[in-house]
Amino acid sequence: MATKTPSSTGAPGTHGAVLADPAPERDRPLVELRGAGKSYGNVRALHGVDLAVHPGRVTCVLGDNGAGKSTLIKIISGLHQHTEGEFLVDGEPVRFSSPRDALDRGIATVYQDLATVPLMPVWRNFFLGSEMTKGPWPVRRLDIARMKRTADEELRNMGIVLDDLEQPIGTLSGGQRQSVAIARAVYFGARVLILDEPTAALGVKQSGVVLKYIAAARERGLGVVFITHNPHHAYMVGDHFSVLRLGTLELSSARADITLEELTNHMAGGAELAALKHELAQVGGVDVDALPDDVPDAAGGPAPDSADKSDSTASDSTASDSTASDSTVSGTAEGKA
Amino acid sequence: MSMAPQAEPAALAPPAPGPQETDGRTRERPVALRLLARPEVGVFLGAVAVFVFFLIAAPTLRDGGSMATVLYQSSTIGIMALPVALLMIGGEFDLSAGVAVITSALTAGMLSYQLTMNVWMGVVVALVASLAVGAFNGWVLVKTGLPSFLVTLATFLVLQGVNLAVTKLVTGNVATDDISDMDGFDQAKALFASSFDVGGIEVKITVVWWLVFAALATWVLLRTKYGNWIFAVGGSQESARAVGVPVTFTKITLFMLVGFGAWFVGMHQLFSFNTVQSGEGVGQELIYIAAAVIGGCLLTGGYGSAIGPVFGAFMFGMVNQGIVFAGWNPDWFKAFLGVMLLGAVLINLYVRRAATRR
């Protein structure tokens, strides 16, 4: 098990092995779900989900609240076990019993809030739980100089520049905190990074910061699972999109095969959106004509820059989707930007 | 929006980014601010203020002997305030710490006397008992997830009752029998309750232990893994667990550390007075907690130092003795303490807010 995945030990510095992996390995998914599902008693939270995470690729999982996103990441991160289908890591079926198991296989999860201790300095947070020490036992002590240096290097590698690593991490912005958590996961040998709605609580600029680091993690050869309910954020960095609805996979599409409009539409639920538009028209005060049509715009090309072109119109449609509260806020703001 | 152009030329505008790459919002804070952000700075200034005040108000306090008394008084509070402070940084507090001291002393005293053993046997058994009480507190807390207030309040009541009842049962009295003529007493007294001479002034050994423990606690807190874990479990238990900090181990050992402190102070009381009153100790736990809070430890955990409580305990000793030497009614002591506590907490709060603001 361990011999097959030398870079999954979770020890500091092993992340280098990821970059050294031979090219053919790139095609094999690091993590794969085949028809996976999860039932809590007689409640089927997730059913028949296929998902593949490749090195150097960002797999976006989208879905409304209650669509099963959390259940999905809990399976991959080892908090819960799947009850149907298969879960493979490096091609082997696995069944994790704790998050530690997942970490040992190089699967790190960055939770939205469970990432840092606010009053502790940045560098202490970076190494928390895996501190570097020096000296024999009775006087074994923290190697503070080395930890600070390493933390600074690693953060700079991810494009995060902090002048004062001694400042409590709580004084950083939400996006920076999230980024430190990502840099930490990368440093401690993560091959697969699961990001649980990293942009949900963030403003426009801070979301941009996090998206940048997601791209940076991808550049370093990590497989990224990006969970979000904001199609715009997903489309900016994603290579593959999976949309969950009521516990099943509604859409699974490579970037080349889908436009932002289609993605947004899937995410918002085309029919529901039409109904909502109709209701809003009756309430009045909403210029329905300005909203985009429900039918996906076939003209929109799959090229990345189509995201920018269609941004303002598409984000308005998100704004009218009152169920996705977070994307409402950031989506609207983005539309104005 | 319209305010922006006016605000721009103001002096408060953020400094232009230097040649070095910065992100513009994490510029290095001034040294003075960083110094103020240390948890023990507020209490240090407070201790100096109280010290100067009583030197002026009570001239007899300037005498070396009086100073030694102040330090002795401070040390008996201070030795206990240290583990209580560490526990508080770890996010919990222990209401049973006061009576646990007496429990420990009673255990050692009665066991040695009743079984006519060498006192060291009693001392060792008392240590085991104290650590067990601490481990029990921690274990119940971790297993049930109850707040430490409830768990240790229960322990406090149990120990208080057991102290009185068992002592009466065993000795037929409210105090233990005098153990001063028993084997090993002199050795134990030398360790826990002796005094030595410094330039003609008699200094109690507890003062030395106090400072040694404080130095040790500071080192552990700031320079070891375990210290890192203490801050982490107090600051955000869930985050700590998520990154692999052994939360259960850290919490239980912190409670056991309080048990160790209770044992040490208990032994000091036993060997300086030869006998222990079973009803004592009630209310002391709040003094320890107050010393830790005055020392800059955050009641809710995750922030504090080991040096702060040293100054906190010193303030207690200073006020306690100062009032006596100034010739005032000692009944004022508690009132003075209350004011001091509130003042210290407010200063700490203000200082921390000012210093950690970005």
Side-chain angles (χ1 to χ4, degrees):
Chain A
M1 210 160 149
T3 49
K4 241 189 135 180
T5 57
S7 56
S8 66
T9 50
T14 47
H15 60 281
V18 174
L19 300 172
D21 270 351
E25 291 283 310
R26 283 186 82 85
D27 286 346
R28 197 178 66 184
L30 294 166
V31 168
E32 194 177 4
L33 292 176
R34 287 187 195 150
K38 166 81 186 171
S39 305
Y40 299 96
N42 53 7
V43 179
R44 204 156 68 172
L46 205 64
H47 173 61
V49 170
D50 297 311
L51 189 78
V53 183
H54 295 269
R57 304 273 292 276
V58 178
T59 303
C60 297
V61 178
L62 296 105
D64 204 350
N65 296 340
K69 302 189 299 286
S70 310
T71 309
L72 183 67
I73 44 168
K74 278 175 182 165
I75 291 173
I76 304 177
S77 64
L79 277 166
H80 287 337
Q81 296 188 338
H82 54 289
T83 51
E84 56 178 88
E86 276 186 300
F87 175 18
L88 304 116
V89 175
D90 300 315
E92 296 172 18
V94 291
R95 191 167 275 273
F96 294 147
S97 55
S98 79
R100 193 74 241 176
D101 288 352
L103 278 174
D104 290 344
R105 301 299 298 258
I107 301 173
T109 310
V110 176
Y111 296 96
Q112 197 182 319
D113 302 315
L114 278 187
T116 52
V117 182
L119 280 173
M120 290 178 80
V122 173
W123 66 269
R124 281 187 190 262
N125 261 295
F126 193 94
F127 283 97
L128 188 59
S130 318
E131 295 87 353
M132 290 176 170
T133 52
K134 60 181 178 187
W137 175 70
V139 288
R140 184 176 298 158
R141 55 207 183 274
L142 297 177
D143 195 343
I144 292 177
R146 191 150 68 100
M147 280 198 277
K148 278 190 186 171
R149 201 172 54 237
T150 312
D152 192 44
E153 266 170 30
E154 288 299 318
L155 290 174
R156 279 174 195 272
N157 283 349
M158 291 290 290
I160 310 164
V161 181
L162 299 176
D163 299 324
D164 184 8
L165 289 174
E166 278 290 352
Q167 65 184 331
I169 203 163
T171 61
L172 298 186
S173 69
Q176 285 178 316
R177 267 207 299 277
Q178 199 84 39
S179 310
V180 172
I182 294 172
R184 177 171 68 183
V186 171
Y187 174 69
F188 285 106
R191 300 181 303 143
V192 177
L193 200 57
I194 304 170
L195 303 166
D196 181 12
E197 309 217 5
T199 58
L202 302 181
V204 181
K205 267 196 173 160
Q206 299 188 353
S207 297
V209 172
V210 171
L211 293 177
K212 238 169 63 192
Y213 301 140
I214 292 175
R218 177 178 57 191
E219 290 310 307
R220 292 183 71 156
L222 276 83
V224 180
V225 182
F226 176 25
I227 289 113
T228 180
H229 48 217
N230 188 325
H232 306 285
H233 290 165
Y235 205 78
M236 281 182 206
V237 293
D239 297 301
H240 189 98
F241 305 95
S242 297
V243 177
L244 288 174
R245 171 166 300 276
L246 300 174
T248 55
L249 208 55
E250 194 193 65
L251 170 89
S252 177
S253 168
R255 186 189 183 89
D257 305 333
I258 194 167
T259 64
L260 177 61
E261 287 87 342
E262 285 168 328
L263 189 62
T264 309
N265 214 43
H266 269 289
M267 173 62 203
E272 286 171 41
L273 204 64
L276 181 68
K277 191 174 159 187
H278 182 63
E279 279 174 44
L280 286 172
Q282 290 184 334
V283 172
V286 178
D287 186 5
V288 181
D289 293 337
L291 296 176
D293 290 335
D294 309 319
V295 184
D297 180 13
D305 61 2
S306 75
D308 303 344
K309 279 188 223 156
S310 55
D311 206 36
S312 57
T313 50
S315 53
D316 282 346
S317 74
T318 323
S320 59
D321 179 11
S322 57
T323 49
S325 55
D326 294 307
S327 59
T328 305
V329 177
S330 45
T332 314
E334 228 169 57
K336 283 174 186 161
Chain B
M1 273 291 208
S2 58
M3 289 295 287
Q6 292 170 339
E8 241 174 322
L12 284 172
Q20 215 193 357
E21 199 185 359
T22 69
D23 69 352
R25 57 168 36 165
T26 57
R27 77 204 146 83
E28 206 155 347
R29 289 167 298 155
V31 177
L33 265 187
R34 271 188 290 169
L35 199 67
L36 278 176
R38 296 290 322 145
E40 60 273 358
V41 170
V43 68
F44 174 72
L45 299 177
V48 169
V50 168
F51 184 69
V52 171
F53 173 77
F54 278 109
L55 281 192
I56 295 165
T60 44
L61 206 60
R62 291 170 206 164
D63 173 51
S66 317
M67 231 35 245
T69 315
V70 168
L71 284 177
Y72 168 57
Q73 185 95 35
S74 310
S75 70
T76 53
I77 297 169
I79 289 175
M80 249 335 247
L82 283 171
V84 167
L86 294 189
L87 182 69
M88 194 177 288
I89 296 169
E92 310 292 342
F93 52 86
D94 189 349
L95 291 178
S96 68
V99 287
V101 170
I102 304 304
T103 304
S104 201
L106 288 173
T107 308
M110 286 194 292
L111 206 73
S112 310
Y113 187 84
Q114 300 301 329
L115 304 179
T116 1
M117 291 189 300
N118 188 307
V119 292
W120 282 105
M121 277 306 295
V123 169
V124 170
V125 173
L127 174 61
V128 173
S130 287
L131 292 178
V133 169
F136 175 79
N137 277 336
W139 182 76
V140 172
L141 182 103
V142 170
K143 284 294 157 200
T144 62
L146 286 170
S148 51
F149 183 92
L150 286 181
V151 174
T152 59
L153 180 64
T155 317
F156 163 73
L157 293 171
V158 168
L159 289 184
Q160 197 186 343
V162 166
N163 283 358
L164 292 168
V166 172
T167 309
K168 194 162 264 179
L169 204 68
V170 172
T171 66
N173 204 335
V174 291
T176 61
D177 300 282
D178 193 323
I179 58 162
S180 58
D181 52 358
M182 302 195 55
D183 290 342
F185 181 87
D186 294 332
Q187 284 176 330
K189 188 175 172 99
L191 182 68
F192 293 111
S194 61
S195 46
F196 59 94
D197 197 89
V198 178
I201 299 161
E202 197 182 285
V203 179
K204 293 274 188 183
I205 194 155
T206 49
V207 176
V208 176
W209 284 121
W210 177 36
L211 299 177
V212 168
F213 288 152
L216 207 61
T218 300
W219 184 76
V220 166
L221 203 53
L222 296 178
R223 290 287 179 269
T224 67
K225 256 187 192 189
Y226 185 68
N228 227 20
W229 296 347
I230 294 176
F231 280 112
V233 298
S236 172
Q237 189 169 326
E238 291 312 311
S239 297
R241 185 167 282 145
V243 296
V245 171
V247 174
T248 304
F249 168 82
T250 309
K251 292 235 165 174
I252 291 181
T253 46
L254 279 174
F255 273 103
M256 290 174 75
L257 219 54
V258 176
F260 176 84
W263 167 76
F264 197 91
V265 176
M267 292 309 102
H268 166 71
Q269 295 201 355
L270 179 65
F271 292 105
S272 36
F273 306 117
N274 310 339
T275 165
V276 189
Q277 297 290 330
S278 60
E280 278 183 2
V282 179
Q284 284 298 109
E285 66 281 343
L286 296 179
I287 302 278
Y288 304 142
I289 290 172
V293 171
I294 288 176
C297 296
L298 199 58
L299 193 65
T300 46
Y303 187 79
S305 73
I307 289 298
V310 170
F311 293 121
F314 176 73
M315 270 167 96
F316 268 59
M318 195 72 201
V319 172
N320 201 346
Q321 293 302 310
I323 286 175
V324 175
F325 282 105
W328 302 341
N329 184 346
D331 295 342
W332 285 106
F333 173 61
K334 286 278 165 65
F336 205 103
L337 279 191
V339 172
M340 215 164 76
L341 178 63
L342 192 63
V345 171
L346 290 178
I347 290 173
N348 284 338
L349 189 72
Y350 173 76
V351 164
R352 191 166 54 242
R353 285 229 179 115
T356 57
R357 194 180 296 143
R358 43 168 151 124

